[in-house]
Amino acid sequence: MDQFIIFIKQVINGLQIGSVYALVALGYTMVYGIIKLINFAHGDFIMVGGYMAVFSIPVLVSAGLPAWLCVFLAVAVCALIGVVTERVAYKPLRQAPRICVLITAIAMSLFLENLFLLLFTSSPRSVPTIFNIPAVTVGSIQVEGKTVLTIALSVVLMILLQLFVKGTKMGKAMRAVSEDTQAAVLMGINANTTISVTFAIGSALAAVAAIMYCSAYPVVEPYMGSMLGLKAFIAAVLGGIGIIPGAMLGGFVIGIAESLTKMYISSQLADAVVFGILILVLLVKPTGILGKNVGEKV
């Protein structure tokens, strides 16, 4: 019985970190779904959101406001950086070969990392307490309140994003631009605005992921987004990049696999197992778990 409880706790821990991966993966999958761009700078928005928490929480607390309001500042700043990055770095290259855009994305990632390294040095900074939520007890299992919040928030945001894309005018514009940008423009859709909104939403989701991650692991440093972003990208590919529920499923699978590996095999092999799962899935289903084979016109 004790072993079963330990197993369940590890699965819950996996769902917590998997929820963070899923939130970031949603940003990857949205951008790729619209303009077929893998924005490798996206992972570094987690780092930006983390630093926003570090500097804003003391100000909020001193003003008598709850610390969790830092999420709104992080969302605003990350969304702005996402839009500026798209306009400055990616928009001029829309007609360029994909390898040029890919290299630019990597360059933007390195730029953000080194900019924050220059501004704040490589020394890790501790994040003040963000949430004060009582633990939830179910039978013999006690789960931290912030863990429940992280999982619930990721699921709710995924559902809201799906409803937004399927049911709103902007969501329909996103799908139209994704299908055929030139035809969408001819139908009166502003492609530039649509793409900017896509980057803003994706970056905002990364900011939420940053706050939830920092609530569980309260330390930030300039390179914290590198591996987090890479695992989130793996989650997006694993679930089927370009598919919103696939990003969520991929995040949960990666998170649970990582947690169970650390518990029952070795913490040093966790990343290897994650990459191994990706390879195995892509060998069987190259489009990802929920991906579909789509014919391409020639």
Side-chain angles (χ1 to χ4, degrees), residues 40-289:
F40 281 114
H42 188 68
D44 294 292
F45 295 150
I46 304 172
M47 174 264 295
V48 175
Y51 274 103
M52 290 303 104
V54 168
F55 295 115
S56 64
I57 289 176
V59 177
L60 291 169
V61 172
S62 63
L65 298 172
W68 56 265
L69 287 177
C70 68
V71 69
F72 294 105
L73 178 62
V75 164
V77 171
C78 287
L80 178 61
I81 292 177
V83 171
V84 171
T85 299
E86 189 277 325
R87 287 296 176 96
V88 173
Y90 301 144
K91 183 180 177 181
L93 298 175
R94 285 184 193 164
Q95 305 304 319
R98 288 190 181 181
I99 187 65
C100 297
V101 185
L102 181 64
I103 293 172
T104 302
I106 296 173
M108 281 304 304
S109 174
L110 294 173
F111 171 76
L112 286 173
E113 289 173 4
N114 285 278
L115 175 63
F116 276 72
L117 182 66
L118 181 65
L119 293 174
F120 307 118
T121 73
S122 60
S123 301
R125 291 174 180 258
S126 61
V127 182
T129 301
I130 301 175
F131 301 104
N132 290 306
I133 305 175
V136 177
T137 302
V138 180
S140 302
I141 301 173
Q142 188 178 64
V143 184
E144 291 188 16
K146 57 190 176 186
T147 299
V148 176
L149 177 64
T150 302
I151 298 170
L153 188 61
S154 66
V155 174
V156 169
L157 288 176
M158 187 275 289
I159 294 172
L160 290 176
L161 183 62
Q162 184 79 337
L163 293 174
F164 174 80
V165 171
K166 295 293 184 181
T168 65
K169 185 176 180 180
M170 179 55 70
K172 293 176 182 177
M174 289 178 178
R175 286 187 284 139
V177 172
S178 172
E179 197 71 31
D180 191 324
T181 303
Q182 293 181 343
V185 172
L186 291 175
M187 295 299 293
I189 294 173
N190 190 324
N192 290 329
T193 300
T194 303
I195 293 171
S196 293
V197 170
T198 302
F199 269 83
I201 294 174
S203 303
L205 290 170
V208 176
I211 299 302
M212 304 316 297
Y213 181 82
C214 289
S215 70
Y217 308 96
V219 175
V220 299
E221 47 91 16
Y223 297 112
M224 64 176 286
S226 298
M227 185 54 72
L228 275 172
L230 182 58
K231 289 181 180 178
F233 173 66
I234 291 172
V237 174
L238 182 66
I241 194 163
I243 301 172
I244 291 174
M248 181 64 62
L249 176 61
F252 285 160
V253 170
I254 293 298
I256 292 173
E258 184 180 287
S259 179
L260 293 179
T261 301
K262 289 180 178 179
M263 181 64 194
Y264 294 106
I265 303 177
S266 170
S267 59
Q268 296 178 341
L269 293 177
D271 292 344
V273 169
V274 167
F275 283 98
I277 290 173
L278 174 66
I279 293 170
L280 288 175
V281 170
L282 293 184
L283 285 174
V284 177
K285 202 168 186 296
T287 55
I289 297 173

